[in-house]
Amino acid sequence: MSAPAVAEPKSVAPLPKRRRPSPIRWVKMGGLSKLGFALPIIFVFGLFSWYPIVKSVIMSVQKTNFVMDPQYVGMENFGKVLNDPLLGQAVQNTIEFTFWSILIGFPLPLILAVVIGELTRGRTVASILAYLPAIVPPVVAVLLWKQLYKPEASGLFNTILGWFGMEPSGWLNNVDLVIPAIVVEMTWAGAGTTVIVYIAALMSVRTELYEAAEIDGAGIRQRIWHVTLPQMRQIMLLMLLLQIINLGQLFTEPYIMTSGGPRNESLTVMLLIYRYAFADGNYGKATALSVMLALVLGVLSLVYQWVTRKWST
């Protein structure tokens, strides 16, 4: 008997390449109306985003005080910034803020979101309570916590220490506690928004994965570790990157709470830029440091994306 003939697979013709429409056809297809809708957005974005960026780059190589005509000084402003001894202190403090914020402020919203997601009752109320601190204006929240950190014995935190027979603490006047104290306030104020983002990500996890895990006998810990966290890996990495970028631009909390003290122990790079511009009146030096900060954050973002590109899938 002869073997049955096997049908050869038909070759699939490649899809034709899409050609760009001609200008006349683009107009007939409604291109002008689409461009008309986009122009206001492009104008606003260019005016309030790209123009300040280009202006900052130009000012970074100039000596100007907005009164006299600007003078081109080349890389002199960058040299002055790099030779400033406060720059090293500001960079070190910014790194310490980042370390403590990742240690305290990154896992806490994730833990709260997972706990709220596991609730069978009161999930809505718990979500509202977690988000409430985010409603308070940032400046009001900082001023409120500044009162809680009062170094006198009448301060709230010092009163709690007194209940246990402990001496009052200086908190914001203590060089060892000032950065962790500010980070605690930042975590309290910003965790609510991150919790809501994580809860939204939890709702997108497929329920059949949890059902399969329960059939295999997995408990709550196993479900969280093997199902929840892997499914949220991409959003977790994104939130971590955004947190690092925001901490590189930290200004409001140390400025209002300590103005960079004590002894410049809470001085950040953004606060140093503020001092260059509004205390020293050296706008060229301030914009030079701003450009350097933008470049560092841009390179850091690229490196971060390259390192975590395999983890996010």
Side-chain angles (χ1 to χ4, degrees):
M1 294 180 63
S2 59
V6 180
E8 297 183 358
K10 297 181 179 180
S11 59
V12 180
L15 295 176
K17 295 182 179 180
R18 296 183 62 182
R19 297 180 178 178
R20 293 184 179 180
S22 61
I24 297 177
R25 181 173 176 78
W26 180 77
V27 172
K28 291 181 179 180
M29 292 172 60
L32 287 179
S33 60
K34 297 176 183 177
L35 181 61
F37 278 109
L39 275 178
I41 301 175
I42 296 174
F43 174 76
V44 172
F45 186 78
L47 180 62
F48 294 101
S49 182
W50 285 107
Y51 175 74
I53 293 175
V54 175
K55 188 67 174 178
S56 297
V57 174
I58 295 174
M59 287 179 60
S60 66
V61 294
Q62 292 178 339
K63 182 179 180 180
T64 178
N65 57 4
F66 295 115
V67 177
M68 301 174 60
D69 293 334
Q71 300 177 1
Y72 176 77
V73 294
M75 304 300 290
E76 180 181 336
N77 292 325
F78 293 92
K80 290 181 179 179
V81 171
L82 293 175
N83 292 326
D84 188 352
L86 286 179
L87 177 62
Q89 181 72 38
V91 172
Q92 179 181 347
N93 294 339
T94 303
I95 294 175
E96 289 187 20
F97 272 113
T98 304
F99 169 78
W100 284 105
S101 295
I102 293 176
L103 184 65
I104 299 174
F106 180 73
L108 182 60
L110 181 61
I111 294 172
L112 288 176
V114 172
V115 171
I116 293 174
E118 291 292 332
L119 294 177
T120 56
R121 294 182 180 180
R123 184 180 300 178
T124 302
V125 176
S127 301
I128 294 174
L129 293 176
Y131 187 73
L132 274 180
I135 301 176
V136 182
V139 176
V140 176
V142 175
L143 292 175
L144 172 64
W145 276 78
K146 188 176 181 180
Q147 292 299 315
L148 300 180
Y149 282 133
K150 286 178 63 175
E152 294 82 7
S154 59
L156 177 61
F157 292 142
N158 283 335
T159 301
I160 296 175
L161 292 179
W163 295 346
F164 298 94
M166 302 173 65
E167 294 293 329
S169 175
W171 301 111
L172 300 179
N173 296 328
N174 190 324
V175 295
D176 297 324
L177 296 177
V178 59
I179 291 181
I182 295 177
V183 168
V184 169
E185 185 278 330
M186 292 165 51
T187 303
W188 175 85
T193 304
T194 310
V195 168
I196 298 301
V197 173
Y198 283 147
I199 290 176
L202 282 171
M203 295 177 64
S204 65
V205 179
R206 293 179 298 173
T207 56
E208 54 264 27
L209 296 177
Y210 290 111
E211 294 173 357
E214 290 180 0
I215 293 175
D216 292 338
I220 295 179
R221 294 181 181 179
Q222 288 77 13
R223 292 201 305 269
I224 292 174
W225 184 256
H226 295 287
V227 178
T228 303
L229 295 182
Q231 293 296 315
M232 294 178 61
R233 186 182 306 165
Q234 189 170 3
I235 189 65
M236 288 167 56
L237 292 175
L238 177 61
M239 296 304 294
L240 178 60
L241 176 61
L242 293 177
Q243 184 175 1
I244 294 174
I245 293 175
N246 289 333
L247 289 167
Q249 306 172 73
L250 181 62
F251 173 77
T252 304
E253 288 80 4
Y255 173 71
I256 297 177
M257 280 190 167
T258 62
S259 296
R263 300 198 301 271
N264 294 320
E265 287 296 327
S266 61
L267 177 68
T268 62
V269 175
M270 284 297 296
L271 191 51
L272 185 59
I273 293 173
Y274 174 85
R275 288 185 180 181
Y276 285 160
F278 299 103
D280 303 338
N282 196 331
Y283 298 100
K285 195 174 176 182
T287 52
L289 183 53
S290 301
V291 171
M292 293 169 62
L293 176 62
L295 291 176
V296 169
L297 292 178
V299 172
L300 179 63
S301 301
L302 293 176
V303 172
Y304 180 87
Q305 292 289 346
W306 179 75
V307 171
T308 61
R309 70 186 188 279
K310 293 183 179 180
W311 301 347
S312 61
T313 58

